[in-house]
Amino acid sequence: MTDHPDDLLHIASCRTCRDRFTADNVVNLEADRHREPERMREFLETARRLEREREGVQDVVARLLRTTPPAEWSSLAASPELQSSAAVEQLIEEIRHRAERKPGEALTLANVATSIAEALPAATYPPVVLAQLRATAWKERAHALRYLGRTDHALASIEKAEERLNAFAAAGFDRAVVELTKARILHETGRTDEAYGLMRECRRVFVEHGDAHMLLCTGIMEGISLYDDGRISDAEGVFRDSMEVARNTQDRESQARIENNLGYCATHSGDFRRANVHFSNGIAIFNDLGSHAEATRAERGAGRVLVAKGQISAGLAYLQKARRAFADSGMAEDAVLCGVEIIEVLIQRGDNVPASELANQVSEEVAAAGLGERAIAAFARLQESLTEGRADAALRVHDVHEYLKSLQQPASM
Amino acid sequence: MTAVSDSALPQRDDQFFEELYAEHFDFLVAVAARKFRVPECDAEALAHEVFLSYLRKSHEVLNIHSWMLGAICNASRYYWRQNGRMVEPLDDDKAFERPDPTTTRILDSLPDQLAAREALEGLMLRDQEILKMRYFEGCSIIEIGQRLGVKAKYAQKLLTKVLRRAERNYRRKGKQR
């Protein structure tokens, strides 16, 4: 044996120790291994096939989606070019890109992906590979349904994914990925204990597989869920653990997100100095990484939460910075929305003159951005209220805010 | 955790997959068979399934050794969860004809067994969990530490303490009988 009798990970990665461990622990290695060449052949053939199918599939799927009107995407389930594992994998990528902004489209594609995956003949791939593919397609369908608010259907879809994997002991990693989506849905439906139980189990599986990326996803998700449930100190603990993982693996993007989340936690705990440090760290890392849009969103988030907690000056500073950055990068809608949020704060503070000036400016931006007649009319009413010093200005700005926000909502089915 | 130096994905060609299988197959079988007591023929099937399930993840897995090891440990535990309860029902007549050899002198060992059970049941739930992880699920000290959210060194200390506590309970129960 080795000097590390209990460290299987060391044995797994060190060839000498691995060979010694294997020789010490498996009796009759050479005997009764009639099936081994067949297994090796199956493994290599599957590996070759999957790699071959992946070549060029991205272009094929992109072309089909481009040339087929979205209303007819359902017909793609019968497309001969998409009858492979790689095509389903690529469709799944497309679903992931759309899930948040266009969940309706994502659901249509998820239906196509599940249809194809379920229809692939059993002999095409080894059963476990086929099960993984089907389970992932069902899981993505659940994800799209979740974004559409159809949680019952989403849970039914998740159950399908679980069923596909049940028979395969080695699909533990895939099972955990499916359970993570389930945990998110359960949390949203108020079944928080079950959700946290699943998240803990997922975390254990990802640690066991040494997958820092999924571990971080789980940690951040758990932290956000705890934060949403008002368990701020628990959330902070989870974020701190995750930060350790992100630092060890030099995952800078996750570090930025966690810093931002720690900023939210500190704000809720009333430690505004610490919150400011975390927010600044997060924004600086996003900027270092060149993710300027993310940095600006983080600034806006910091501004909102600080204002909500009564730290008006600090919050306004973040919001104004975010508004400038949105405008500079041509994100007119976001710049306008940020402007409205600032006007709201100014009115609440009784600063009607600067609020009116900003409303004028934002109104022009609304017209230039082509956000619609309704928005322009709403701004005109707001300016009228502000100029006349009417008490309904706060209500008016709230209406404008809600209306502009509704323009940003993803399109529903 | 995944080391940063592993972050470059290896070139995945025929040779890579062949070497991967050849180098790790026996090791995975050994882990399933030795650490988790999975019967060797089933351990081979599990190891093979681990390799196949890796193929869909091969573009994402950064540390193959760690992933393979995690997958076989997880698969072995799942195997026992699925198969542990699938024991064929006992045929009463046959049982009388051929008594189970482990029960022939049961009266001699029963008091000890009962004392052992009571000793274990007298432990706190967390202590019972630690013993279950170590001796039933076959977890390593590191794994126990990870599951409990403590360092391996502390997990080792906890295990030693739990064993001492169990031993004390056992002696006390034994004396009472």
Side-chain angles (χ1 to χ4, degrees):
Chain A
M1 288 300 290
T2 72
D3 292 337
H4 313 262
D6 217 4
D7 190 355
L8 272 178
L9 185 54
H10 164 78
I11 302 173
S13 12
C14 164
R15 190 178 207 154
T16 315
C17 294
R18 195 167 61 228
D19 290 347
R20 209 178 296 160
F21 177 88
T22 308
D24 284 351
N25 290 292
V26 175
V27 202
N28 249 350
L29 260 187
E30 299 308 320
D32 301 328
R33 283 287 175 88
H34 310 300
R35 290 185 304 276
E36 199 179 326
E38 281 170 38
R39 283 184 170 138
M40 168 80 100
R41 200 175 311 123
E42 185 190 33
F43 174 69
L44 291 177
E45 274 170 12
T46 311
R48 253 177 244 139
R49 180 170 188 170
L50 292 178
E51 293 289 310
R52 197 177 52 236
E53 284 178 353
R54 280 169 186 150
E55 279 167 27
V57 76
Q58 201 174 347
D59 297 337
V60 172
V61 172
R63 177 174 50 78
L64 284 172
L65 293 182
R66 212 175 38 244
T67 54
T68 313
E72 290 169 28
W73 278 354
S74 303
S75 66
L76 292 175
S79 166
E81 288 170 284
L82 297 181
Q83 307 306 310
S84 71
S85 160
V88 176
E89 281 175 0
Q90 193 51 43
L91 279 172
I92 287 168
E93 278 303 310
E94 297 287 344
I95 298 165
R96 284 177 187 158
H97 290 150
R98 287 173 169 80
E100 204 170 343
R101 300 290 285 180
K102 296 178 178 171
E105 284 188 3
L107 179 61
T108 309
L109 290 180
N111 287 336
V112 172
T114 47
S115 300
I116 297 173
E118 290 292 333
L120 287 172
T124 333
Y125 304 96
V128 66
V129 175
L130 209 49
Q132 286 175 301
L133 188 70
R134 288 173 176 164
T136 313
W138 283 109
K139 189 224 18 159
E140 291 306 326
R141 186 173 181 272
H143 213 49
L145 285 162
R146 183 181 80 86
Y147 274 110
L148 289 166
R150 292 161 60 182
T151 42
D152 286 349
H153 291 97
L155 279 177
S157 218
I158 279 291
E159 272 166 30
K160 291 262 189 196
E162 288 174 325
E163 276 168 26
R164 298 297 175 270
L165 297 171
N166 270 347
F168 302 97
F173 188 90
D174 294 77
R175 247 190 302 280
V177 174
V178 168
E179 297 304 322
L180 199 57
T181 303
K182 186 177 183 177
R184 191 177 276 189
I185 300 168
L186 288 176
H187 185 263
E188 282 173 4
T189 52
R191 291 160 68 181
T192 48
D193 287 347
E194 284 171 79
Y196 289 123
L198 284 177
M199 285 184 220
R200 271 194 298 277
E201 177 59 18
C202 293
R203 226 191 308 184
R204 193 187 64 71
V205 175
F206 297 137
V207 167
E208 192 167 37
H209 283 77
D211 192 313
H213 173 70
M214 286 308 296
L215 183 62
L216 280 169
C217 287
T218 314
I220 293 175
M221 192 178 122
E222 193 179 346
I224 292 173
S225 305
L226 287 163
Y227 178 88
D228 288 344
D229 289 342
R231 293 166 60 183
I232 308 297
S233 62
D234 290 337
E236 203 168 342
V238 172
F239 285 134
R240 290 200 180 285
D241 290 348
S242 300
M243 181 60 98
E244 197 69 25
V245 178
R247 280 203 191 108
N248 289 342
T249 52
Q250 293 183 4
D251 183 340
R252 300 274 289 151
E253 198 185 321
S254 295
Q255 280 179 45
R257 291 187 196 289
I258 297 167
E259 285 283 8
N260 204 30
N261 291 331
L262 283 169
Y264 277 75
C265 291
T267 307
H268 271 267
S269 312
D271 190 343
F272 300 112
R273 197 189 57 79
R274 196 158 52 86
N276 223 346
V277 171
H278 285 304
F279 284 134
S280 306
N281 285 346
I283 292 162
I285 300 173
F286 275 132
N287 278 325
D288 282 352
L289 292 170
S291 308
H292 300 300
E294 288 290 347
T296 309
R297 281 194 199 99
E299 277 170 346
R300 182 177 58 192
R304 280 175 179 166
V305 73
L306 285 167
V307 165
K309 284 285 166 186
Q311 298 294 302
I312 307 293
S313 304
L316 272 180
Y318 274 118
L319 285 176
Q320 275 154 353
K321 219 169 149 197
R323 178 170 145 72
R324 268 196 304 276
F326 279 133
D328 289 348
S329 52
M331 296 166 81
E333 263 182 61
D334 287 292
V336 165
L337 204 56
C338 221
V340 175
E341 283 170 26
I342 296 170
I343 297 170
E344 239 177 333
V345 177
L346 291 173
I347 292 175
Q348 277 168 15
R349 214 162 63 165
D351 291 343
N352 279 14
V353 176
S356 180
E357 283 168 10
L358 186 58
N360 266 333
Q361 199 182 329
V362 177
S363 174
E364 283 166 21
E365 289 170 22
V366 167
L371 290 178
E373 292 299 317
R374 224 180 116 187
I376 296 169
F379 261 100
R381 280 196 298 275
L382 169 65
Q383 276 170 293
E384 215 176 272
S385 297
L386 282 168
T387 320
E388 292 172 14
R390 290 209 310 257
D392 66 350
L395 199 66
R396 293 246 179 261
V397 75
H398 182 74
D399 287 347
V400 173
H401 191 185
E402 288 303 308
Y403 175 67
L404 290 173
K405 265 204 302 193
S406 75
L407 294 179
Q408 287 207 320
Q409 295 296 313
S412 60
M413 281 288 286
Chain B
M1 285 307 308
T2 310
V4 183
S5 55
D6 290 318
S7 61
L9 281 170
Q11 180 74 29
R12 289 175 308 271
D13 52 13
D14 251 21
Q15 196 190 346
F16 164 77
F17 285 119
E18 196 170 345
E19 281 175 9
L20 182 74
Y21 200 90
E23 275 181 30
H24 286 80
F25 184 79
D26 288 341
F27 171 68
L28 296 192
V29 174
V31 171
R34 184 235 180 185
K35 194 168 143 63
F36 294 94
R37 307 271 177 251
V38 175
E40 205 171 319
C41 60
D42 288 340
E44 286 178 25
L46 279 189
H48 181 59
E49 208 176 276
V50 164
F51 277 102
L52 289 172
S53 65
Y54 162 75
L55 288 177
R56 279 212 62 238
K57 308 272 162 208
S58 63
H59 289 254
E60 298 156 23
V61 173
L62 296 178
N63 187 335
I64 296 169
H65 304 301
S66 170
W67 197 92
M68 291 269 169
L69 180 62
I72 195 68
C73 291
N74 198 281
S76 302
R77 275 190 218 106
Y78 193 82
Y79 170 88
W80 282 121
R81 275 204 296 276
Q82 297 296 93
N83 294 291
R85 291 179 213 102
M86 287 160 64
V87 181
E88 280 186 28
L90 187 68
D91 183 333
D92 287 348
D93 294 337
K94 278 186 185 166
F96 279 115
E97 281 167 26
R98 292 186 59 191
D100 179 357
T102 59
T103 63
T104 49
R105 299 182 65 82
I106 193 151
L107 285 178
D108 297 341
S109 60
L110 196 57
D112 283 346
Q113 284 180 24
L114 289 173
R117 175 183 288 188
E118 280 181 34
L120 293 177
E121 282 173 353
L123 293 172
M124 287 186 301
L125 275 181
R126 191 198 194 202
D127 294 352
Q128 288 181 23
E129 187 62 24
I130 290 170
L131 290 181
K132 197 175 122 198
M133 280 191 260
R134 180 68 172 161
Y135 299 106
F136 184 74
E137 294 181 22
C139 292
S140 68
I141 297 295
I142 292 174
E143 286 169 330
I144 294 174
Q146 281 168 349
R147 284 220 220 165
L148 295 176
V150 299
K151 287 189 176 157
K153 208 170 176 183
Y154 186 61
Q156 175 68 65
K157 264 187 194 169
L158 281 177
L159 181 67
T160 313
K161 275 187 188 166
V162 174
L163 282 172
R164 267 193 215 132
R165 246 175 250 148
E167 195 183 356
R168 267 202 307 274
N169 283 359
Y170 176 78
R171 285 185 203 290
R172 215 170 31 236
K173 300 285 173 192
K175 271 180 197 165
Q176 284 169 9
R177 276 171 201 285

